[in-house]
């Protein structure tokens, strides 16, 4: 009878396997493509393409180039044309007639053209400085979100490993309970360990989802199927983490403040040369007659209009521009001190977490060895379940500490690069 049942079951399995193999639906079923690994540099470039400074850079460059062309022109502004007619008898062709046709153009004030040209050059430099500083600010937010995601992924992987280990232990305890080697209390304790691991996995999944959403908000794409490029992949460590003497030129945040401060000073210099409105030169031709029937006489008019000084208005512009320059200069000094302190602090943190990593990896290695010993002794009945669970929890905690330490080292390297003004790689 048992042989007949086994034969019938074998026939059913073979038939189901054959149907699965020859089914055309199984051929046409699309297979999901594996998600491409996402790198920090790739996420940064994707996020930068969505930023407003990236969209406005070309327009700002056009504006700066237009300011340069305006400073290179011969006149301080566009020329204007004028046409006037004068008569002493409106509505009649008799009487006097006079027609003026002229062109006027504003002239540069002394030193105004040169200062306007220098200001336009500074504005052109400020465009790239603003963009570089905006990219650095974005990299700070992206690095924070990226490493939070990396930590969440690592915590989720550890929680999954812990659940698999708890299930294996529970299966072993269940087998021994059926054999009468352990009590029901031990079985319940093992099942409680599985439930605890399931709760930890659910918490890790929730944290991973939150970290993914925070990163997705920056890169503008869904990360449901995305995976990190590696469990913990650190950025390249800077070869020389010592701040250079020309930090204002190499660090984007300081370079932006430096060029903005210079721009404000040149705005003040230009305002100092614009204490009055621009004078105008006028060239006109006049056609006039004394009475009806007389021929028109033509004459040329050359003139210059010189306005009076602007007085308090010009002084207000100059004082405002100088106040902006002084404020940016003071802000540059404070920012330089902050950057230097941030670099020094990042170097110290990197050294500290490296020492922690060495100790954590040594502890994890020892915990794995001890867990292996107690796994064998528990199977042989030489150790009890509470000791086995305690050793398992210590091994899980040691592995978690080592994983966090590796993530802390990668985060510290990234923070040092951020302090030095380096973009993600």
């Amino acid at each position: 009878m048992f042989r007949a049942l086994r034969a019938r079951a074998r026939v059913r399995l073979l038939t189901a396997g054959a149907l699965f193999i020859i089914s055309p639906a199984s051929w046409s079923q699309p297979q999901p493509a594996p998600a491409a690994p996402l790198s920090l540099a790739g996420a940064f470039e994707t996020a930068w393409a969505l930023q407003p400074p990236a969209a406005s850079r070309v327009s700002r460059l056009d504006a700066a180039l237009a300011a340069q062309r305006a400073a290179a022109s011969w006149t301080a502004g566009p020329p204007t044309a004028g046409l006037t007619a004068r008569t002493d008898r409106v509505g009649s062709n008799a009487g006097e007639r006079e027609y003026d046709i002229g062109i006027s153009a504003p002239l540069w004030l002394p030193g105004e053209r040169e200062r306007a040209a220098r200001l336009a050059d500074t504005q052109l430099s400020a465009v790239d400085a603003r963009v570089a500083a905006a990219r650095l600010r974005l990299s700070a937010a992206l690095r924070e979100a990226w490493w939070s995601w990396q930590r969440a992924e690592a915590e989720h992987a550890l929680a999954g490993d812990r659940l698999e280990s708890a299930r294996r232990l529970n299966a072993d305890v269940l087998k021994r309970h059926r054999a009468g080697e352990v009590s029901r209390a031990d079985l319940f304790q093992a099942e409680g360990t599985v439930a605890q691991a399931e709760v930890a996995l659910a918490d890790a999944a929730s944290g991973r989802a939150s970290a993914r959403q925070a990163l997705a908000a920056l890169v503008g794409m869904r990360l449901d199927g995305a995976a990190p490029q590696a469990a913990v992949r650190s950025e390249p460590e800077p070869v020389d983490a010592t701040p250079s003497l020309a930090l204002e030129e190499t660090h984007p945040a300081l370079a932006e403040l430096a060029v903005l401060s210079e721009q404000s000073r040149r705005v003040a210099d230009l305002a100092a040369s614009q204490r009055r409105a621009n004078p105008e030169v006028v060239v006109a031709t006049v056609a006039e007659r004394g009475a009806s029937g007389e021929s028109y006489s033509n004459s040329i008019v050359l003139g210059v209009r010189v306005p009076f000084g602007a007085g308090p208005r010009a002084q207000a512009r100059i004082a405002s521009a100088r106040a902006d320059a002084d404020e940016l200069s003071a802000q540059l000094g404070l920012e330089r001190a902050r950057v230097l302190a941030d670099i020094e602090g990042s170097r110290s943190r990197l050294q500290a977490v490296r020492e922690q990593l060495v100790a954590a990896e040594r502890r994890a290695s020892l915990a794995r060895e001890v867990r292996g010993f107690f796994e064998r002794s528990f199977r042989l009945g030489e150790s009890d379940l509470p000791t086995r669970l305690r050793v398992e929890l210590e091994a899980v905690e040691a592995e978690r500490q080592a994983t966090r330490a590796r993530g802390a080292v990668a985060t510290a390297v990234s923070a040092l690069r951020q302090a030095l003004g380096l973009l993600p790689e």
Side-chain angles (χ1 to χ4, degrees):
M1 179 178 179
F2 290 110
R3 291 180 180 176
L5 290 175
R6 283 198 297 269
R8 262 181 274 174
R10 187 179 299 112
V11 170
R12 288 175 183 173
L13 289 174
L14 291 175
T15 305
L19 289 175
F20 176 78
I21 293 172
I22 65 175
S23 175
S26 64
W27 298 347
S28 60
Q29 184 70 23
Q31 299 296 325
L38 182 66
S39 65
L40 177 58
F44 173 74
E45 294 301 332
T46 302
W48 172 248
L50 304 175
Q51 299 302 308
S56 63
R57 179 179 179 274
V58 175
S59 298
R60 291 186 182 276
L61 283 175
D62 292 340
L65 292 174
Q68 281 188 329
R69 291 192 297 269
S73 63
W74 288 99
T75 59
T80 58
L83 172 62
T84 61
R86 184 175 65 86
T87 181
D88 59 350
R89 295 186 184 183
V90 180
S92 172
N93 193 29
E96 296 182 0
R97 290 285 188 274
E98 181 178 324
Y99 299 98
D100 293 348
I101 301 175
I103 296 177
S104 64
L107 300 177
W108 293 105
L109 291 168
E112 182 185 11
R113 184 180 183 185
E114 294 76 9
R115 294 177 181 180
R118 289 196 292 268
L119 175 59
D121 294 339
T122 307
Q123 289 174 341
L124 185 61
S125 302
V127 173
D128 289 335
R130 286 176 181 270
V131 169
R135 285 171 65 86
L136 184 63
R137 287 190 291 269
L138 173 64
S139 68
L142 184 68
R143 278 171 167 142
E144 182 179 357
W146 174 267
W147 293 117
S148 296
W149 180 41
Q150 290 274 10
R151 287 191 295 270
E153 291 285 351
E155 290 287 343
H156 186 267
L158 286 173
D161 293 341
R162 178 186 177 186
L163 179 59
E164 291 298 325
S165 177
R167 285 174 176 172
R168 288 194 302 268
L169 178 60
N170 183 49
D172 191 10
V173 173
L174 179 60
K175 186 184 302 182
R176 296 182 61 182
H177 172 69
R178 290 174 178 173
E181 298 179 3
V182 296
S183 65
R184 182 178 294 272
D186 291 339
L187 177 61
F188 289 165
Q189 191 173 4
E191 291 177 351
T193 303
V194 174
Q196 185 180 5
E198 289 174 347
V199 172
L201 181 61
D203 290 341
S206 176
R208 182 179 65 170
S210 299
R212 279 183 174 179
Q213 290 174 359
L215 182 60
L218 287 175
V219 300
M221 57 183 292
R222 295 181 61 87
L223 300 176
D224 294 341
Q229 198 171 36
V232 177
R233 182 182 180 275
S234 176
E235 293 186 74
E237 186 175 349
V239 178
D240 186 10
T242 303
S244 62
L245 296 178
L247 194 59
E248 287 81 357
E249 300 177 1
T250 59
H251 197 285
L254 298 181
E256 180 191 26
L257 289 176
V259 73
L260 290 180
S261 178
E262 180 65 20
Q263 179 179 329
S264 297
R265 283 194 294 270
R266 293 188 176 181
V267 168
D269 292 341
L270 179 60
S273 66
Q274 295 174 334
R275 295 181 179 273
R276 60 172 55 89
N278 296 89
E280 293 184 358
V281 60
V282 180
V283 179
T285 178
V286 180
E288 60 181 344
R289 73 178 186 186
S292 177
E294 295 182 1
S295 60
Y296 283 89
S297 63
N298 298 320
S299 60
I300 301 296
V301 177
L302 297 176
V304 177
R305 296 191 184 98
V306 180
F308 293 104
R313 296 183 181 86
Q315 294 176 359
R317 291 197 304 270
I318 295 171
S320 178
R322 286 177 177 170
D324 291 340
D326 294 341
E327 181 179 353
L328 287 170
S329 180
Q331 186 177 354
L332 177 60
L334 292 176
E335 185 68 13
R336 179 182 174 84
R338 185 198 67 79
V339 167
L340 291 174
D342 197 7
I343 292 173
E344 186 62 29
S346 298
R347 291 171 60 185
S348 300
R349 285 192 296 271
L350 179 57
Q351 182 64 29
V353 295
R354 275 180 173 163
E355 295 175 357
Q356 293 175 4
L357 176 60
V358 173
E361 287 184 339
R362 183 171 179 270
R363 179 194 174 192
S365 177
L366 294 173
R368 285 192 295 269
E369 294 290 337
V370 172
R371 181 171 60 180
F373 295 152
F374 276 89
E375 280 182 355
R376 291 189 293 270
S377 65
F378 180 73
R379 290 173 184 173
L380 296 175
E382 298 176 356
S383 59
D384 56 359
L385 182 60
T387 304
R388 173 72 179 85
L389 292 177
R390 178 180 56 80
V391 171
E392 181 68 24
L393 291 177
E394 289 180 355
V396 169
E397 181 60 30
E399 189 63 35
R400 180 183 290 110
Q401 186 180 17
T403 302
R404 289 177 177 176
R406 286 189 288 269
V409 169
T411 304
V413 171
S414 188
L416 179 58
R417 292 179 59 86
Q418 179 70 28
L420 291 171
L422 302 177
L423 296 179
E425 291 185 11

